[in-house]
Amino acid sequence: MKKKKMIKWIIITVAIIITSFLALCGYWVIEDLKQEEILKQEIINYSHKNLESDDFTVIVKTKGDYAYVEEAIKKYYKELSDNIKGMNKYLMDEDFMTLLAPSSLVNDRPNYSNSQNKLKTTKENLNKHLEAINNLCDENTIKNLIDKEKLEDYDYYYDFYLKLMYTKKDQEALQKLKEEMDTTLKKLNEFLDKAEEILVLLEKNDSIIQYENNSIYFNSTEALNEYNKLVGELQTMAKNFTITKNNPNPIKNSKVSEI
């Protein structure tokens, strides 16, 4: 009788342990699915934000390995947004937008050093931001965003990460953006190089130039023709290449004449 009670007690104990274990497994599964859904929603929210104007402060809402994946993705979006905002900041700078306007140039003669330094700084920073954006759109950058050393089940979380960040649609969009950034970088440098040519020409011919009523006057037909040629080329570049949605143009309000 005592033996039967002992067996019954063992069976009940084992049953309780198994039930508790299954309940715990069920809790883990439910919690895991919950974290997965939170992460999916967070990434959807981030992907729908405006990279030029919205706030991309990184606030992690998931736990465990999901938190690592979430933080990595949000930091990626923030870096992309920061570089786009940084690029626009320099393009929309008032000093840059009026760089070649007579009202700006008249105070910078005869060497035009401030204008040339402004152009050089702007060019360096725009290239830095554009190259960073280009790199962020690169396939290898996306695929290496997750460090397998920091995840317990790397294969599972990495596959889950790719489903969130690198679908076929994402690949096509990022490839298109990368190509656009390559083209933008090339055209932007051509645009800025042309602006630099104009400043060099003005410095070289400053002794035969007068500024009056927001206009530039030359007493040399040859110098005037060369200036008009360069300005025309720059204006063509500005028309064919919208740098930003507002198309800032450093030659706005500029008029030229011959004395």
Side-chain angles (χ1 to χ4, degrees), residues 178-199:
K178 190 175 187 301
E179 291 171 359
E180 289 177 354
M181 287 299 103
D182 286 334
T183 301
T184 298
L185 189 59
K186 180 181 177 182
K187 289 186 176 182
L188 179 61
N189 282 315
E190 290 174 352
F191 182 89
L192 296 173
D193 287 344
K194 189 63 62 177
E196 185 177 5
E197 282 187 62
I198 293 173
L199 290 173

Side-chain angles (χ1 to χ4, degrees), residues 49-54 56 80-81 84-85 88 244-245:
K49 285 187 174 186
N50 187 318
L51 290 167
E52 292 185 36
S53 57
D54 285 342
F56 282 82
L80 187 58
S81 176
I84 290 174
K85 289 170 183 172
N88 286 339
T244 70
K245 59 187 178 183

Side-chain angles (χ1 to χ4, degrees), residues 90-91 93-99 118-119 122 191-192 250:
Y90 283 99
L91 287 172
D93 180 77
E94 185 65 25
D95 290 339
F96 173 68
M97 292 174 69
T98 59
L99 187 69
K118 180 67 178 178
L119 189 62
T122 300
F191 182 89
L192 296 173

Side-chain angles (χ1 to χ4, degrees), residues 90-91 93-108 112-123 191-199 202 211 216 227 234 248-254:
Y90 283 99
L91 287 172
D93 180 77
E94 185 65 25
D95 290 339
F96 173 68
M97 292 174 69
T98 59
L99 187 69
L100 297 182
S103 58
S104 298
L105 295 170
V106 69
N107 298 315
D108 199 22
Y112 303 91
S113 55
N114 290 333
S115 299
Q116 292 192 57
N117 288 334
K118 180 67 178 178
L119 189 62
K120 180 182 177 182
T121 300
T122 300
K123 184 177 181 179
F191 182 89
L192 296 173
D193 287 344
K194 189 63 62 177
E196 185 177 5
E197 282 187 62
I198 293 173
L199 290 173
L202 292 173
Y211 292 91
I216 303 177
Y227 179 82
L234 191 65
N249 185 351
I251 62 173
K252 74 174 188 176
N253 301 324
S254 178

Side-chain angles (χ1 to χ4, degrees), residues 140-193:
N140 289 327
T141 300
I142 302 292
K143 289 187 173 181
N144 293 319
L145 205 61
I146 301 296
D147 184 356
K148 64 180 180 181
E149 300 297 327
K150 295 183 180 181
L151 293 169
E152 292 183 11
D153 188 352
Y154 174 73
D155 291 336
Y156 171 78
Y157 287 102
Y158 184 70
D159 288 342
F160 180 66
Y161 159 76
L162 289 181
K163 288 177 182 178
L164 291 174
M165 282 289 287
Y166 207 58
T167 64
K168 185 177 180 180
K169 186 177 179 180
D170 293 327
Q171 292 176 42
E172 292 172 353
L174 287 171
Q175 181 59 33
K176 182 180 178 181
L177 182 58
K178 190 175 187 301
E179 291 171 359
E180 289 177 354
M181 287 299 103
D182 286 334
T183 301
T184 298
L185 189 59
K186 180 181 177 182
K187 289 186 176 182
L188 179 61
N189 282 315
E190 290 174 352
F191 182 89
L192 296 173
D193 287 344

